[in-house]
Amino acid sequence: MSTPKAAARSTRHDAPPSHYERLGLPAEGPATEDHLLVRVRRDQAEKAREPLPRPEDYPAGRLSLRTPLAALVSDPEAVAVLHPHAPTLVDTELLQVIGTTSLISLAAMSGASFPKETPRTLAEELSTL
């Protein structure tokens, strides 16, 4: 959540314009309570509270939501499945950090930023490989 104090720190540290935009803060002038993102992001927070289905509720095959991401991106067929639904997982330098993480764990950690229907779609398509 952005706050007037966060705006002051950003200004003091010469933050780039994208930082202000991401936090919902004005690049110039004072930040007020009107700039707080809590109201704007309420729907996203509510979605994040909804539990994901259990891993065993998803289809499984040779590759599944339990397969580590590094293994998935090393398989060209799996990459073809991942890319349309989650391109940032395929095209990221973070693979060195999250490569041992499974898709189901990643979905659980990312909350509403990973749409609930995406794991189901990926599981169904990966199970056919």
Side-chain angles (χ1 to χ4, degrees), residues 69-94:
L69 190 55
L72 291 174
V73 298
S74 68
D75 184 302
E77 290 179 310
V79 169
V81 168
L82 286 171
H83 205 271
H85 305 290
T88 56
L89 295 181
V90 178
D91 304 327
T92 181
E93 58 278 351
L94 290 176

Side-chain angles (χ1 to χ4, degrees), residues 2 10 13 18 23 38 40 42-44 49-50 54 59-60 79 88 94 97 99 120 125-126 129:
S2 61
S10 296
H13 296 287
S18 61
L23 295 175
V38 69
V40 175
R42 183 181 186 101
D43 288 343
Q44 183 180 6
R49 292 181 59 200
E50 297 172 12
R54 298 171 308 175
V79 169
T88 56
L94 290 176
V97 177
R120 168 75 51 201
E125 292 184 24
L126 287 171
L129 300 180

Side-chain angles (χ1 to χ4, degrees), residues 45-126:
E46 290 298 322
K47 287 179 185 176
R49 292 181 59 200
E50 297 172 12
L52 286 170
R54 298 171 308 175
E56 55 272 14
D57 292 339
Y58 292 105
R62 177 178 67 87
L63 300 173
S64 72
L65 295 183
R66 293 186 192 105
T67 305
L69 190 55
L72 291 174
V73 298
S74 68
D75 184 302
E77 290 179 310
V79 169
V81 168
L82 286 171
H83 205 271
H85 305 290
T88 56
L89 295 181
V90 178
D91 304 327
T92 181
E93 58 278 351
L94 290 176
L95 278 175
Q96 294 176 11
V97 177
I98 64 172
T100 58
T101 305
S102 67
L103 287 173
I104 192 72
S105 295
L106 195 59
M109 289 185 288
S110 63
S113 62
F114 202 92
K116 299 278 191 262
E117 61 278 352
T118 301
R120 168 75 51 201
T121 302
L122 289 171
E124 289 171 357
E125 292 184 24
L126 287 171

Side-chain angles (χ1 to χ4, degrees), residues 4 15-16 22 24 33 36-37 55 68 92 95 103:
R22 186 177 67 253
E33 286 191 20
L36 294 177
L37 294 176
T92 181
L95 278 175
L103 287 173

